[in-house]
Amino acid sequence: MLRDGIPHGVWFASYEYAKTSLALHNSSSEGSEECGKGETDVAIPMLSGAFAATTAWLVGYPADLIKTRIQAGSGYRGILDVTRELIRESGGRPILGLYRGLTLKLCRAIPASAIGFLTYETAAKFLSSE
């Protein structure tokens, strides 16, 4: 639940938040921008998807890292034992310990989320027009 449920909820909620905010900003600045309608049809879902992936992984990454350590089977006694070890390995810095490797995860997750949401929005628009 910690590793999947909460981050996925954050992922979809932050996507909708970003999509709505960008659409409102785009409609309020229409005419003053050089960006055409077709460009915003692509940009809004992609930027919103990138924002959603970043937000979701910031929330869920520590639980994912802990789960991975437990699955690796190095004799840990549970979640707290793994958490203590990660913090100890980072010299007592919890943020550094619990977010080690996040950059690499985001390098994969941001483009995947951006493309995934663009594909979803394009397919939904196409299917609703028929």
Side-chain angles (χ1 to χ4, degrees):
M1 180 66 172
L2 287 176
R3 192 235 174 237
D4 285 328
I6 295 170
H8 277 85
V10 169
W11 188 45
F12 286 109
S14 56
Y15 173 76
E16 285 299 322
Y17 169 79
K19 184 174 89 168
T20 302
S21 296
L22 288 171
L24 285 173
H25 175 73
N26 186 53
S27 67
S28 69
S29 63
E30 229 172 72
S32 64
E33 299 288 324
E34 293 181 18
C35 191
K37 175 83 172 115
E39 292 169 341
T40 58
D41 286 348
V42 171
I44 289 176
M46 289 192 78
L47 290 171
S48 300
F51 175 77
T54 303
T55 307
W57 278 111
L58 285 172
V59 169
Y61 191 76
D64 187 62
L65 183 60
I66 291 166
K67 179 227 26 142
T68 301
R69 284 285 184 105
I70 290 171
Q71 286 179 336
S74 300
Y76 295 113
R77 293 182 304 248
I79 293 171
L80 289 177
D81 191 33
V82 174
T83 304
R84 280 189 214 104
E85 181 63 20
L86 288 168
I87 293 169
R88 188 194 63 74
E89 288 174 3
S90 67
R93 296 175 292 194
I95 300 297
L96 186 63
L98 295 174
Y99 286 92
R100 181 187 314 161
L102 176 66
T103 304
L104 188 58
K105 179 68 81 174
L106 290 177
C107 286
R108 180 201 64 81
I110 289 173
S113 182
I115 292 167
F117 277 114
L118 174 63
T119 303
Y120 167 77
E121 294 290 351
T122 303
K125 185 177 178 181
F126 174 76
L127 292 172
S128 69
S129 68
E130 296 212 0

